[in-house]
Amino acid sequence: NMYVKDLYANGSSKSRKGGDISKFGWIGKVLLDKDSPTTEAWVGKYAGSYLNFNKDLAVAFNAVTQLGSEYTGGKYENLLKDRKRKTLNDDDLGLF
């Protein structure tokens, strides 16, 4: 979340610093693009709330990696062969 806070503080149209966002590269340019105020609002939301950032990051990570998804048939059913899908909590250490 520190990256997002620093990005928002340096490049947001609402910030008073008006710093240089070149150190953030193309990602900073895309997230704070003046033609896309929605992304700037997202950056502001996540810069202001550590809880929202971590909650939505976990949801997005699981969506991108498809952890915990269930397949209902076709070639995926043949590949899985009734095996349990791995989740982030499956570490085989037996701690929890």
Side-chain angles (χ1 to χ4, degrees), residues 1 4 9 13 16-17 20 30 50 53 55 58 62-63 72 78 82-85 89 92-93 95:
N1 181 321
V4 177
S13 62
R16 295 182 182 168
K17 279 187 178 180
D20 183 27
V30 169
Y50 181 75
F53 178 79
K55 183 183 71 114
N62 284 335
T72 57
N78 290 332
D82 297 323
R83 285 187 246 161
K84 184 180 177 242
R85 295 288 295 164
N89 295 325
D92 298 328
L93 296 176
L95 298 174

Side-chain angles (χ1 to χ4, degrees), residues 28-91:
K29 290 178 185 175
V30 169
L31 291 176
L32 296 176
D33 185 13
K34 301 299 179 202
D35 295 331
S36 180
T38 306
T39 56
E40 186 175 341
W42 287 342
V43 172
K45 173 186 172 185
Y46 294 136
S49 174
Y50 181 75
L51 183 63
N52 280 338
F53 178 79
N54 280 338
K55 183 183 71 114
D56 288 350
L57 181 64
V59 170
F61 179 78
N62 284 335
V64 169
T65 60
Q66 297 180 352
L67 292 173
S69 61
E70 296 178 18
Y71 302 103
T72 57
K75 66 180 181 180
Y76 290 111
E77 183 178 4
N78 290 332
L79 290 172
L80 295 174
K81 297 185 181 167
D82 297 323
R83 285 187 246 161
K84 184 180 177 242
R85 295 288 295 164
K86 290 208 177 262
T87 65
L88 291 175
N89 295 325
D90 293 340
D91 58 7

